[in-house]
Amino acid sequence: MEQEQKNRMDAIRQGAENMRKLNLLSDTFASVALQDIDACQYVVRKILGRADIRIIDVKSQYRLLNLTAKDAILDAFAQDSTGRLVNIEIQRRDTKDHARRTRYYGSMIDKSVLDKGAEHKEFPDVYIIYISETDLWHGGETVYPVNKILGKSAIPYDDGKHVIFVNAAVDDGSEVAKMMQYFKKADPDDMSQGELSERVRYLKTEKGGYKEMCEVAEKIYEQGIEQGIGQGIEQGIEQGIEQGKMENAKNMAINMHKDGMAEDLIAKYANVSIDLVKNWIALSPA
């Protein structure tokens, strides 16, 4: 048991250290960073272009339950002082059906409001901010707000649901583009992004931030343990440790590759074979 506990603590510490190396296009790191109200408020204000928005509550990795279909887990789910709900999603992989994914998130949020007994006329405005690493729509823009109009009249159609696609691939010189370039590096020495920079610096360099990273790493570790239940406790522990270590190594390797590090050095630092590194890189988004 003493060795098992040591293995557990080693895995958690290593996981925390690896997460500190991630950027804000990692949903794991972004979820931790944006659960801070001031950091989340900074991002929302910048993307919506509204300096008057005041965020009063944020939940990260927030699960919306669905008894008849799969649950939705929101990377960051916030509420402002007027009752508006804001869902920030980080999408690194270039998967398909992004429009339908935002539709699903929106429907689950609406359902959660209905489940609390609200009538349709009481529906709050919902903003879904979908941040991607690549330019999903290939239009050469940093921000793509979804605008709704009626027929050929250009009369705005406002049902209270707003979707904004944002990407880190296009730098059009705007303030949002500058923030997205910061998302790509999340450099703790770069203090250009106000409260967001302060939060990243705290998580990556300060003792209290390291403690938060350890708590998240512990949750990831425990989830790995749960996935091993049914194979015996010892096997479950071993699987949890290995899954956590391998996922952290993979994320670290991909980020190192994007920063221009050679594959042989990545393999050395990640403590895996160069063939595995090449496979990870080949399967990762361009």
Side-chain angles (χ1 to χ4, degrees):
M1 289 298 293
E2 185 175 337
Q3 184 59 44
E4 291 174 0
Q5 181 63 16
K6 181 180 182 302
N7 290 342
R8 178 178 182 277
M9 295 308 299
D10 286 346
I12 291 171
R13 281 193 289 266
Q14 186 60 51
E17 289 293 344
N18 288 341
M19 276 190 287
R20 275 184 149 184
K21 299 171 185 175
L22 299 174
N23 62 25
L24 286 162
L25 293 172
S26 158
D27 57 358
T28 302
F29 185 71
S31 294
V32 182
L34 296 179
Q35 72 182 13
D36 176 77
I37 286 179
D38 290 337
C40 183
Q41 179 174 272
Y42 180 90
V43 173
V44 173
R45 283 179 171 180
K46 189 74 71 174
I47 291 175
L48 298 187
R50 295 280 302 274
D52 61 329
I53 289 176
R54 185 167 67 88
I55 299 297
I56 61 173
D57 183 54
V58 183
K59 297 179 178 66
S60 65
Q61 292 295 306
Y62 184 63
R63 182 182 292 273
L64 295 176
L65 300 177
N66 191 335
L67 298 179
T68 59
K70 67 178 182 177
D71 297 345
I73 300 177
L74 310 183
D75 290 335
F77 188 45
Q79 183 177 21
D80 78 355
S81 57
T82 69
R84 278 182 293 235
L85 301 176
V86 182
N87 169 212
I88 301 176
E89 288 298 316
I90 309 294
Q91 184 59 249
R92 170 161 256 169
R93 293 168 297 177
D94 195 8
T95 55
K96 298 178 180 179
D97 292 331
H98 300 286
R100 285 177 172 78
R101 288 174 71 88
T102 58
R103 173 182 167 185
Y104 178 68
Y105 294 136
S107 66
M108 288 296 289
I109 293 170
D110 285 346
K111 180 178 179 300
S112 72
V113 174
L114 276 177
D115 287 345
K116 293 177 181 178
E119 297 182 6
H120 291 99
K121 64 181 180 180
E122 300 175 294
F123 268 17
D125 276 13
V126 174
Y127 288 79
I128 299 174
I129 299 173
Y130 196 88
I131 298 175
S132 63
E133 186 172 32
T134 59
D135 182 4
L136 302 176
W137 305 106
H138 308 291
E141 300 180 35
T142 301
V143 181
Y144 297 92
V146 177
N147 299 314
K148 304 172 186 176
I149 59 173
L150 290 168
K152 299 178 181 179
S153 64
I155 297 173
Y157 176 76
D158 183 10
D159 60 0
K161 188 175 293 182
H162 312 274
V163 178
I164 304 101
F165 289 92
V166 185
N167 73 84
V170 178
D171 185 353
D172 60 10
S174 65
E175 288 300 309
V176 175
K178 291 176 184 177
M179 183 174 70
M180 287 298 100
Q181 297 312 301
Y182 176 81
F183 263 60
K184 289 162 68 173
K185 295 183 178 180
D187 181 356
D189 294 325
D190 180 352
M191 300 304 292
S192 66
Q193 298 300 315
E195 293 87 351
L196 180 62
S197 291
E198 291 175 11
R199 175 64 171 168
V200 168
R201 184 169 189 170
Y202 171 76
L203 291 173
K204 291 198 171 190
T205 66
E206 297 186 23
K207 185 176 180 180
Y210 177 73
K211 182 180 178 182
E212 281 194 45
M213 292 285 92
C214 283
E215 290 172 355
V216 175
E218 184 173 12
K219 290 179 182 178
I220 293 173
Y221 170 87
E222 295 298 342
Q223 288 170 0
I225 296 294
E226 290 176 7
Q227 291 172 5
I229 291 175
Q231 303 174 358
I233 297 299
E234 291 183 3
Q235 284 180 287
I237 292 174
E238 182 178 348
Q239 181 178 345
I241 293 172
E242 292 307 315
Q243 285 181 345
K245 284 183 177 179
M246 194 57 67
E247 185 63 26
N248 287 328
K250 177 182 176 181
N251 289 334
M252 181 175 68
I254 291 172
N255 284 320
M256 285 179 171
H257 170 68
K258 289 180 179 178
D259 287 338
M261 185 174 287
E263 292 172 349
D264 57 339
L265 287 177
I266 295 174
K268 176 182 176 181
Y269 287 121
N271 196 27
V272 296
S273 71
I274 191 169
D275 288 338
L276 184 55
V277 169
K278 289 180 178 179
N279 185 54
W280 285 340
I281 292 170
L283 296 175
S284 68

